[in-house]
Amino acid sequence: MELRAFHYAFLVRDLDEARRFYVDLLGCREGRSAPTWIDFELFGNQLSCHLGATPPAAGTGQVDGISVPMPHFGVILAFDEYEQLAARLEAAGISFVITPRIRYPGEPGEQGTCFFLDPSGNAIEVKAFVRPDEVFAR
């Protein structure tokens, strides 16, 4: 199955704050922009940050007895990229909602995962599969 890039548009409270977070910390490349929005390239995917009042978090879902923020978006990286980004986030003092950890050790779908919030409170998950061909393993 060929994986394709996704597009995700969401609200942020401050475009300059979003620009610093997504470019300087996450390493996104800035694309087109206007006074009310900015497009970013996040590991080959398009994020559109639109200026507006950010809604409060909707709640949480349960995964292996851990409450994960809902809604959230994320990216799947190669394992070495995941480890490098998690280390960069830790060094920057990011407060993780769920600290970097290994989920499903030794099982199909074994993965590293972590959750954190952008400055506007949007939840982001970064993950990497130990065996990349198991992204959709059951």
Side-chain angles (χ1 to χ4, degrees), residues 64 101-112 130-131:
D64 301 330
R101 65 189 62 222
I102 299 295
R103 186 183 293 159
Y104 314 122
E107 298 179 29
E110 181 177 358
Q111 61 191 263
V130 172
R131 293 167 297 281

Side-chain angles (χ1 to χ4, degrees), residues 6-17:
F6 70 86
H7 162 83
Y8 182 65
F10 56 99
L11 296 172
V12 296
R13 65 182 178 207
D14 182 291
L15 292 177
D16 289 330
E17 180 181 60

Side-chain angles (χ1 to χ4, degrees), residues 84-97:
Q84 291 169 13
L85 181 55
R88 191 164 71 237
L89 294 169
E90 287 174 332
I94 289 297
S95 178
F96 288 95
V97 175

